[in-house]
Amino acid sequence: MISKKDFIKINDYLWEIPKFFRPDMRVPARIYVSEEMLEEIEEDAINQVINVATLPGIIKYSLAMPDIHSGYGFCVHPDTKILTDLGFNLAIKDFQKIWNAQSLKTIDFKLGKLIETPIQEFLKIKPKRKIFKVITKTGREIIATDDHPFYTPEGMIKLGRLNHGNKIAIYPFEGVPYEKPSSKIIISESDIKETLLKLGRKQREVGFEQNLRALKKRNLLPLTYDHPKLPYILKIMGFAFGDASMNFIGKRGDGVLHFSAKEREDLEEIRKDIKKIGYIPSPIHRHDIKNTYINHCFCINAASLLILLQTLGVPQGNKVFQSYRIPGWIFRAPLWQKRLFLASFFGSELRIPHRRKNRKTIFNCPVLTMNKAEELIDNGKDFLNDISKLLKEFKVKIIYINKRRKHTSKHGRISWSLELVFSSKIQSLINLWTKVGFEYNRKRTFFANVAGQYLKLKNQVLKEKERVIKFEIPQLLKTNLSYQKIADQLATINPLTRRFIVDVCWKFNKGIKNISPQMPNSFPTFQEFFEEAIRGLGFSGMVWDEIATIKEISYRGWVYDFTVVHQDHNFIANNFVVSNCIGGVAATKYPEGVISPGGVGYDISCSVRLLRSDYSKKEIQPYLEKLATEIQKEVPSGLGRGRAIKLSTEQINKILEGGVPKLVEQGYGEEEDIENCEEGGRMKEADAQCVSEHAKNRGRDQVGTLGSGNHFAEIQKVDEIFDEEIAKTFGLFKDQIVIMIHTGSRGLGHQIATDYIKIMMQAMPKYGIKLPDRELACVPFNSPEGQRYFKAMCAAANYSWSNRHIITYYIRKAWEKVLGKKAKLKLVYDVAHNIAKIEEHEVNGQKMKLIVHRKGATRAFPPHHSELPAKYKEVGQPVIVPGSMGTASYLLVGTEKGKETFYTTAHGSGRRMSRHAAIKKFSGQEIIQNLKQRGIIVKCHSLKGIAEEAAGAYKDVEKVVDVTHQAGLSKKVARLVPLAVIKGE
């Protein structure tokens, strides 16, 4: 717990947490606030400033501006079930003592599939955020903090920004609960010796002892239920009962195991598991069978492995002409181990889900087929009954075993196809596909996931109808209400239609009993569902669900989270695909210091741009409503909302590397726009090749769009001028109309940050970097990962400047449409507040090149600085500090005193309330009415968006700017007040 006594007061506006406060701090942490504001800072925010002070290579101080606020700490409820790489689920709270020995399932977005990832860190904290419960249309539930990111069509979005009806990614396979295995021995050294003797091997011969040594060397004897390699052996066994064979060949009796499958990637998964138990498989070979069928295979020359598997009960040779059963010891294994065996066997042998031709919402009975010699039919039936017995534990029903087709080999031997026919009852199929599932078969896993989700939705509809039939309608009929009034109370759009309610009421009154719910005609076919459920998700196994309810709940216990090693930092929690900001500045040495995406933020180069007109408020007032309407028409806004035109990859690359100069060259804007933009609107180090295709795709239609959240365009009036000479240099006068634009690099920048935080988290151990906060993931600047991130960040900055530049183009278009061709808007300045720059600063009297990270903080160069435009050399750099909705914004200027903070100042008001808390406290409609009474026009597509950005959800911009001014970080030039606000959703 941090208290006021832990701070050293430097002056009335500067407070320091000394370096000795925590042993991992490399520099002191400083916060620029008044004493009154210090009392209001959240402890999480202070901890973040301290955590920044632990960055390797950090220079002088970790610094927070007056708009400091907390930004992360997302976690889930302790009972949340997490899917592991072995297909069992375990409550997140139960990972506390075993997390470093476990791996989880994660979605690799680049490969588009589920893979395993080790856990890097286990987190347990008391929540400081609001807690919400989400229930989806298919009945999935999760409890998490409002800032926990969930995967949506827009990428990872915090829970607090989601609402009823939003799509959310689900991984339908859930597996079975974990049960700790016993230490009971399955096979021992003596069991292996017995197998060797049965095979005709003699003790004291080289082959006999060699096989024993090979198994001992791999630590496979004795093999117990809790042996760490048993899960992989079980999977290999399951596949060996299907599409694999074991044989001893040659005079020496060499053991060869042969594995085959249609898809190469499925065999790759088997090869990985074989390596985990200590054996080296051959490469995979492709076979074109009669030019019509492609198959892949590999083998292992390892007699010891064959002997191990045979001892465990796997048949050797041609399985059609052998008698064998499911090994008895498997029946005594925990359920999750039984699942591994079954799922691997099914991956080899069980058909994919397929629907009936004449019933497009119903699936055929799954069928498992095996061939058995005529004299071994009873043994084959016993084997299938063993499978049936195992499946009962998963509540998967079997209808019957069928003897179907007769086969005659070229040698005249007769065999029959035996079929194990599964029940097509909904719950049985859900259990089969989401609890047992498939291993070593990505195609079957994918179809099982989609089919399982479809049946979950179908089941929800039937349960809802059944509840109404059994309970609600009978109770309401007793009150003598008419059918229509009962329908008024119970009917929804679907599935509880008015016609359904009235029909059930009529049947009850006619004495018809045993009314069973039926699927409505409007229910989608599987094909219709399939296309929508996987749109944009490919064959990853994820499907889209829809939020049915989302509400805040009261919870005071612990919450938990993971950091995983994989670069796409995500895991499966209660079937949801979930992932794992402060105003400040930090500088590290160049080039040996580190660079951190977290030190820049997710909205790379989010910036503010100020345009000035030649008009006064009096002159523009008659046109104000029309101007706001035209700007809203011209500039798309909202979460994920883009322009109608989608850029090609080539066009995106030109923007990423060329920035504003490239757009001006193409006729968008003027040369003066380049001069009045930070970095001239282009960072030359940008490299489009360092930006992922996923990031580019997210940015293809978003150049020239506002986005959501606190992003906006405002028509403002210069309300007050504090320095006439500097204001004149900036081209400002009292009552003048100006336009402020606040937005960033949209989905592209967010994706770049997401991509590289994950890459760096994976790379940090390589560089010996350990940090208390995953959001500060970093690598040495001159490392390959550091260089690629810096080039990608520069590209995102170019995209961000281009985004605002195109917005400017369309605002100018709207301006001229309303006011005429002579009405011009000139750019005052455009400056970023989420960016890392290589700059030269004086540190302890010595000039030094630094990597300056500004996250939620604005650059504020003083007069005569070499990077200033010529017209501003004498006065200093314009600093734009936007307020919250309906409040004032400020234009300031950089000062020499700002060198204490590497010439950095505040970037805005800073939130003091979460978005969900704001929605709960404020009414969007009331805010609009209040602003209207004050003469402020609001244009927004969403009342929710208005409530989220209520002025009461932010700190007082007047106090923030006053501290900034009094501390000398930058100097007030003009106060700007809003006349019309155009908001994102």
Side-chain angles (χ1 to χ4, degrees), residues 3-18 28-39 41 46 49 61-64 963:
S3 66
K4 188 177 174 182
K5 66 182 181 182
D6 294 314
F7 288 87
I8 297 172
K9 183 176 180 179
I10 307 299
N11 58 48
D12 288 343
Y13 303 101
L14 179 58
W15 307 78
E16 179 176 293
I17 301 169
R30 287 190 162 188
I31 302 175
Y32 284 86
V33 285
S34 65
E35 190 162 355
E36 176 193 356
M37 294 171 73
L38 183 66
E39 301 286 350
I41 301 174
I46 298 170
V49 189
Y61 307 110
S62 161
L63 296 159
V963 170

Short mmCIF file of all heavy atoms in Angstrom, two decimals, residues 3-18 28-39 41 46 49 61-64 963:
data_model
loop_
_atom_site.label_atom_id
_atom_site.label_comp_id
_atom_site.label_asym_id
_atom_site.label_seq_id
_atom_site.Cartn_x
_atom_site.Cartn_y
_atom_site.Cartn_z
N SER A 3 1.39 5.20 0.47
CA SER A 3 0.73 6.32 1.14
C SER A 3 1.48 7.61 0.82
O SER A 3 2.59 7.59 0.26
CB SER A 3 0.69 6.10 2.64
OG SER A 3 2.01 6.11 3.18
N LYS A 4 0.90 8.72 1.22
CA LYS A 4 1.49 10.03 0.94
C LYS A 4 2.88 10.17 1.57
O LYS A 4 3.76 10.82 1.02
CB LYS A 4 0.55 11.11 1.46
CG LYS A 4 0.95 12.52 1.07
CD LYS A 4 -0.07 13.52 1.56
CE LYS A 4 0.39 14.94 1.29
NZ LYS A 4 -0.57 15.93 1.80
N LYS A 5 3.07 9.49 2.70
CA LYS A 5 4.37 9.61 3.38
C LYS A 5 5.51 8.95 2.60
O LYS A 5 6.69 9.18 2.87
CB LYS A 5 4.28 8.98 4.77
CG LYS A 5 4.05 7.48 4.77
CD LYS A 5 3.93 6.94 6.19
CE LYS A 5 3.72 5.42 6.17
NZ LYS A 5 3.54 4.86 7.51
N ASP A 6 5.15 8.11 1.60
CA ASP A 6 6.19 7.48 0.78
C ASP A 6 6.77 8.44 -0.26
O ASP A 6 7.78 8.13 -0.89
CB ASP A 6 5.62 6.24 0.06
CG ASP A 6 5.22 5.14 1.03
OD1 ASP A 6 6.02 4.84 1.94
OD2 ASP A 6 4.11 4.59 0.89
N PHE A 7 6.12 9.59 -0.46
CA PHE A 7 6.58 10.56 -1.45
C PHE A 7 7.49 11.60 -0.81
O PHE A 7 7.29 12.01 0.33
CB PHE A 7 5.38 11.29 -2.08
CG PHE A 7 4.56 10.44 -3.00
CD1 PHE A 7 3.53 9.67 -2.51
CD2 PHE A 7 4.82 10.42 -4.36
CE1 PHE A 7 2.76 8.89 -3.35
CE2 PHE A 7 4.05 9.64 -5.21
CZ PHE A 7 3.02 8.88 -4.71
N ILE A 8 8.47 12.04 -1.59
CA ILE A 8 9.28 13.20 -1.22
C ILE A 8 8.74 14.39 -2.01
O ILE A 8 8.61 14.32 -3.24
CB ILE A 8 10.77 12.97 -1.56
CG1 ILE A 8 11.32 11.80 -0.75
CG2 ILE A 8 11.58 14.24 -1.30
CD1 ILE A 8 12.72 11.39 -1.17
N LYS A 9 8.41 15.47 -1.34
CA LYS A 9 7.90 16.65 -2.01
C LYS A 9 9.07 17.47 -2.54
O LYS A 9 9.89 17.99 -1.78
CB LYS A 9 7.06 17.49 -1.05
CG LYS A 9 6.41 18.71 -1.71
CD LYS A 9 5.52 19.45 -0.72
CE LYS A 9 4.87 20.66 -1.38
NZ LYS A 9 3.97 21.38 -0.45
N ILE A 10 9.15 17.58 -3.86
CA ILE A 10 10.22 18.36 -4.50
C ILE A 10 9.81 19.84 -4.53
O ILE A 10 10.59 20.72 -4.20
CB ILE A 10 10.51 17.85 -5.92
CG1 ILE A 10 10.80 16.34 -5.91
CG2 ILE A 10 11.69 18.63 -6.53
CD1 ILE A 10 11.98 15.90 -5.09
N ASN A 11 8.58 20.11 -4.93
CA ASN A 11 7.98 21.44 -4.87
C ASN A 11 6.46 21.27 -4.87
O ASN A 11 5.97 20.14 -4.78
CB ASN A 11 8.47 22.35 -6.02
CG ASN A 11 8.17 21.77 -7.39
OD1 ASN A 11 7.06 21.33 -7.66
ND2 ASN A 11 9.18 21.78 -8.27
N ASP A 12 5.73 22.34 -5.01
CA ASP A 12 4.26 22.26 -4.91
C ASP A 12 3.63 21.42 -6.01
O ASP A 12 2.47 21.00 -5.87
CB ASP A 12 3.66 23.67 -4.95
CG ASP A 12 3.92 24.44 -3.66
OD1 ASP A 12 4.26 23.78 -2.65
OD2 ASP A 12 3.77 25.68 -3.67
N TYR A 13 4.39 21.18 -7.08
CA TYR A 13 3.80 20.47 -8.21
C TYR A 13 4.61 19.24 -8.62
O TYR A 13 4.36 18.66 -9.69
CB TYR A 13 3.67 21.42 -9.41
CG TYR A 13 2.85 22.63 -9.09
CD1 TYR A 13 3.46 23.86 -8.81
CD2 TYR A 13 1.46 22.55 -9.01
CE1 TYR A 13 2.69 24.96 -8.49
CE2 TYR A 13 0.70 23.66 -8.69
CZ TYR A 13 1.31 24.87 -8.42
OH TYR A 13 0.56 25.97 -8.09
N LEU A 14 5.54 18.81 -7.78
CA LEU A 14 6.38 17.66 -8.13
C LEU A 14 6.64 16.80 -6.91
O LEU A 14 7.09 17.30 -5.87
CB LEU A 14 7.70 18.15 -8.74
CG LEU A 14 8.71 17.07 -9.15
CD1 LEU A 14 8.11 16.09 -10.16
CD2 LEU A 14 9.98 17.71 -9.73
N TRP A 15 6.39 15.48 -7.06
CA TRP A 15 6.53 14.52 -5.97
C TRP A 15 7.37 13.34 -6.45
O TRP A 15 7.26 12.93 -7.60
CB TRP A 15 5.16 14.03 -5.51
CG TRP A 15 4.24 15.17 -5.16
CD1 TRP A 15 3.54 15.97 -6.02
CD2 TRP A 15 3.95 15.64 -3.86
NE1 TRP A 15 2.83 16.91 -5.34
CE2 TRP A 15 3.05 16.73 -4.00
CE3 TRP A 15 4.33 15.26 -2.56
CZ2 TRP A 15 2.56 17.43 -2.92
CZ3 TRP A 15 3.83 15.94 -1.47
CH2 TRP A 15 2.96 17.02 -1.65
N GLU A 16 8.18 12.81 -5.57
CA GLU A 16 9.10 11.73 -5.96
C GLU A 16 8.97 10.52 -5.05
O GLU A 16 8.88 10.65 -3.82
CB GLU A 16 10.54 12.25 -5.93
CG GLU A 16 11.57 11.19 -6.32
CD GLU A 16 12.99 11.73 -6.36
OE1 GLU A 16 13.26 12.57 -7.24
OE2 GLU A 16 13.81 11.34 -5.49
N ILE A 17 8.97 9.34 -5.68
CA ILE A 17 9.12 8.08 -4.94
C ILE A 17 10.58 7.68 -5.12
O ILE A 17 11.02 7.42 -6.24
CB ILE A 17 8.20 6.99 -5.50
CG1 ILE A 17 6.74 7.44 -5.40
CG2 ILE A 17 8.39 5.67 -4.74
CD1 ILE A 17 5.77 6.58 -6.15
N PRO A 18 11.36 7.67 -4.05
CA PRO A 18 12.81 7.46 -4.18
C PRO A 18 13.16 6.07 -4.69
O PRO A 18 12.37 5.13 -4.59
CB PRO A 18 13.32 7.67 -2.76
CG PRO A 18 12.14 7.45 -1.88
CD PRO A 18 10.94 7.86 -2.66
N PRO A 28 14.51 6.95 -9.58
CA PRO A 28 13.31 7.41 -8.86
C PRO A 28 12.13 7.56 -9.80
O PRO A 28 12.29 7.67 -11.02
CB PRO A 28 13.74 8.78 -8.30
CG PRO A 28 15.23 8.79 -8.37
CD PRO A 28 15.60 7.94 -9.55
N ALA A 29 10.92 7.56 -9.23
CA ALA A 29 9.70 7.80 -10.00
C ALA A 29 9.14 9.16 -9.61
O ALA A 29 8.99 9.45 -8.41
CB ALA A 29 8.69 6.70 -9.72
N ARG A 30 8.85 10.00 -10.57
CA ARG A 30 8.35 11.35 -10.28
C ARG A 30 6.98 11.58 -10.90
O ARG A 30 6.71 11.12 -12.01
CB ARG A 30 9.34 12.41 -10.80
CG ARG A 30 10.60 12.50 -9.95
CD ARG A 30 11.43 13.71 -10.32
NE ARG A 30 12.39 14.02 -9.26
CZ ARG A 30 13.15 15.11 -9.23
NH1 ARG A 30 13.07 16.00 -10.21
NH2 ARG A 30 13.98 15.32 -8.23
N ILE A 31 6.14 12.32 -10.16
CA ILE A 31 4.78 12.61 -10.61
C ILE A 31 4.53 14.11 -10.48
O ILE A 31 4.74 14.69 -9.40
CB ILE A 31 3.74 11.84 -9.77
CG1 ILE A 31 4.00 10.33 -9.85
CG2 ILE A 31 2.33 12.16 -10.22
CD1 ILE A 31 3.10 9.50 -8.97
N TYR A 32 4.09 14.73 -11.57
CA TYR A 32 3.77 16.16 -11.57
C TYR A 32 2.29 16.35 -11.28
O TYR A 32 1.44 16.16 -12.17
CB TYR A 32 4.13 16.79 -12.92
CG TYR A 32 5.61 17.03 -13.11
CD1 TYR A 32 6.44 16.02 -13.59
CD2 TYR A 32 6.18 18.26 -12.80
CE1 TYR A 32 7.80 16.22 -13.75
CE2 TYR A 32 7.54 18.48 -12.96
CZ TYR A 32 8.35 17.46 -13.43
OH TYR A 32 9.69 17.68 -13.58
N VAL A 33 1.95 16.67 -10.05
CA VAL A 33 0.57 16.95 -9.65
C VAL A 33 0.58 17.94 -8.48
O VAL A 33 1.59 18.11 -7.80
CB VAL A 33 -0.19 15.67 -9.18
CG1 VAL A 33 -0.58 14.78 -10.33
CG2 VAL A 33 0.63 14.90 -8.15
N SER A 34 -0.56 18.56 -8.24
CA SER A 34 -0.71 19.37 -7.04
C SER A 34 -0.97 18.45 -5.85
O SER A 34 -1.27 17.26 -6.03
CB SER A 34 -1.89 20.34 -7.21
OG SER A 34 -3.10 19.60 -7.31
N GLU A 35 -0.89 18.99 -4.65
CA GLU A 35 -1.13 18.17 -3.47
C GLU A 35 -2.56 17.63 -3.46
O GLU A 35 -2.80 16.48 -3.09
CB GLU A 35 -0.87 19.00 -2.20
CG GLU A 35 -0.87 18.15 -0.94
CD GLU A 35 -0.20 18.86 0.24
OE1 GLU A 35 0.34 19.96 0.05
OE2 GLU A 35 -0.22 18.28 1.33
N GLU A 36 -3.49 18.44 -3.91
CA GLU A 36 -4.89 18.00 -3.99
C GLU A 36 -5.04 16.82 -4.95
O GLU A 36 -5.71 15.83 -4.66
CB GLU A 36 -5.77 19.17 -4.45
CG GLU A 36 -7.23 18.80 -4.65
CD GLU A 36 -8.00 19.88 -5.40
OE1 GLU A 36 -7.42 20.95 -5.71
OE2 GLU A 36 -9.18 19.63 -5.69
N MET A 37 -4.38 16.91 -6.11
CA MET A 37 -4.49 15.85 -7.11
C MET A 37 -3.76 14.58 -6.67
O MET A 37 -4.17 13.48 -7.03
CB MET A 37 -3.92 16.35 -8.45
CG MET A 37 -4.74 17.47 -9.07
SD MET A 37 -3.91 18.23 -10.50
CE MET A 37 -4.09 16.96 -11.73
N LEU A 38 -2.71 14.73 -5.88
CA LEU A 38 -1.97 13.57 -5.38
C LEU A 38 -2.88 12.64 -4.59
O LEU A 38 -2.78 11.42 -4.68
CB LEU A 38 -0.79 14.02 -4.51
CG LEU A 38 0.12 12.91 -3.97
CD1 LEU A 38 0.86 12.22 -5.11
CD2 LEU A 38 1.11 13.47 -2.96
N GLU A 39 -3.78 13.23 -3.81
CA GLU A 39 -4.70 12.44 -3.00
C GLU A 39 -5.65 11.61 -3.86
O GLU A 39 -6.18 10.59 -3.42
CB GLU A 39 -5.54 13.37 -2.09
CG GLU A 39 -4.73 14.24 -1.15
CD GLU A 39 -4.15 13.46 0.02
OE1 GLU A 39 -4.53 12.29 0.19
OE2 GLU A 39 -3.32 14.02 0.74
N ILE A 41 -4.96 10.21 -6.92
CA ILE A 41 -4.34 9.24 -7.84
C ILE A 41 -4.58 7.81 -7.35
O ILE A 41 -4.39 7.51 -6.18
CB ILE A 41 -2.83 9.49 -7.97
CG1 ILE A 41 -2.55 10.89 -8.49
CG2 ILE A 41 -2.21 8.47 -8.93
CD1 ILE A 41 -1.09 11.25 -8.50
N ILE A 46 0.11 4.72 -9.58
CA ILE A 46 1.41 4.96 -8.94
C ILE A 46 2.31 3.75 -9.13
O ILE A 46 3.51 3.88 -9.43
CB ILE A 46 1.23 5.29 -7.45
CG1 ILE A 46 0.40 6.57 -7.28
CG2 ILE A 46 2.59 5.43 -6.75
CD1 ILE A 46 -0.03 6.85 -5.86
N VAL A 49 3.96 3.78 -12.50
CA VAL A 49 5.12 4.69 -12.60
C VAL A 49 6.35 4.02 -11.98
O VAL A 49 7.46 4.11 -12.50
CB VAL A 49 4.84 6.03 -11.89
CG1 VAL A 49 5.95 7.02 -12.19
CG2 VAL A 49 3.52 6.62 -12.33
N TYR A 61 14.80 9.53 -14.53
CA TYR A 61 13.56 9.30 -13.79
C TYR A 61 12.55 8.55 -14.65
O TYR A 61 12.61 8.56 -15.87
CB TYR A 61 12.88 10.64 -13.39
CG TYR A 61 13.73 11.62 -12.66
CD1 TYR A 61 14.14 12.81 -13.30
CD2 TYR A 61 14.13 11.40 -11.35
CE1 TYR A 61 14.93 13.73 -12.64
CE2 TYR A 61 14.92 12.32 -10.68
CZ TYR A 61 15.32 13.49 -11.33
OH TYR A 61 16.10 14.40 -10.67
N SER A 62 11.59 7.93 -13.96
CA SER A 62 10.32 7.56 -14.58
C SER A 62 9.37 8.70 -14.24
O SER A 62 9.23 9.08 -13.08
CB SER A 62 9.80 6.25 -13.98
OG SER A 62 8.42 6.09 -14.23
N LEU A 63 8.73 9.27 -15.27
CA LEU A 63 7.98 10.51 -15.07
C LEU A 63 6.51 10.35 -15.45
O LEU A 63 6.19 9.77 -16.49
CB LEU A 63 8.59 11.63 -15.92
CG LEU A 63 10.03 12.02 -15.56
CD1 LEU A 63 10.69 12.71 -16.74
CD2 LEU A 63 10.03 12.92 -14.35
N ALA A 64 5.62 10.86 -14.60
CA ALA A 64 4.19 10.87 -14.89
C ALA A 64 3.71 12.31 -14.93
O ALA A 64 4.09 13.13 -14.10
CB ALA A 64 3.42 10.08 -13.85
N VAL A 963 -1.38 22.82 -13.39
CA VAL A 963 -0.15 22.21 -12.86
C VAL A 963 0.93 22.22 -13.92
O VAL A 963 2.10 22.55 -13.65
CB VAL A 963 -0.43 20.76 -12.37
CG1 VAL A 963 0.88 20.05 -12.07
CG2 VAL A 963 -1.32 20.77 -11.15
#
